[in-house]
Amino acid sequence: MTHGEFHWVLATQAWGLSTPAVYGEFDRQVAAGDIVAEEPRISEAVMQALMAGDPHRLGAALHNDLQGPALALAPRLERVMDAAHDAEALGVMVSGSGPTVAALARSRQHALAIAAHLRAEEVADTVLTASAPAAGATVIVP
């Protein structure tokens, strides 16, 4: 079970990014030795941050193995990430295989401020905010 609330900003694009292409770029980068492929695992740092309800620790623990490959295929996503960092997001990452970028905020008000900054910078087609955990959601640790 998580504790506390986490406030997110999601910056989406009208254009897509092919998941097979991102995985193909991941495989290419692994073969070139640019990145090291690791076995999928649950991040202990993420789980501890969720259990503690600590958005600062969660922001520091955010990681996505597909981020580098997604940025290689869509370097303009770096502008979104830079803008979120400029707005002092606690953590920023490409969500899944992209092109959505997720930014973690300190509070609901901070999430609204980050969203306003992203809109003003015109780096995304749509900017949304969300709070977690969602009612009824449970984190299960195997």
Side-chain angles (χ1 to χ4, degrees), residues 71-109:
L71 292 174
L73 296 174
R76 59 185 147 172
L77 292 177
E78 289 187 47
R79 279 192 64 222
V80 184
M81 296 178 73
D82 289 344
H85 283 296
D86 290 346
E88 300 179 0
L90 299 177
V92 181
M93 68 178 186
V94 171
S95 178
S97 60
T100 298
V101 170
L104 182 62
R106 294 184 300 271
S107 64
R108 186 179 315 273
Q109 284 304 109

Side-chain angles (χ1 to χ4, degrees), residues 41-133:
R41 61 178 173 74
I42 295 173
S43 166
E44 187 162 323
V46 168
M47 293 306 296
Q48 288 177 354
L50 290 171
M51 297 297 284
D54 187 336
H56 292 274
R57 282 174 54 190
L58 181 58
L62 293 177
H63 175 77
N64 178 359
D65 290 341
L66 295 177
Q67 181 167 297
L71 292 174
L73 296 174
R76 59 185 147 172
L77 292 177
E78 289 187 47
R79 279 192 64 222
V80 184
M81 296 178 73
D82 289 344
H85 283 296
D86 290 346
E88 300 179 0
L90 299 177
V92 181
M93 68 178 186
V94 171
S95 178
S97 60
T100 298
V101 170
L104 182 62
R106 294 184 300 271
S107 64
R108 186 179 315 273
Q109 284 304 109
H110 186 219
L112 294 172
I114 293 170
H117 181 73
L118 295 180
R119 288 184 191 107
E121 292 293 312
E122 298 181 348
V123 293
D125 293 309
T126 304
V127 180
L128 310 162
T129 60
S131 295

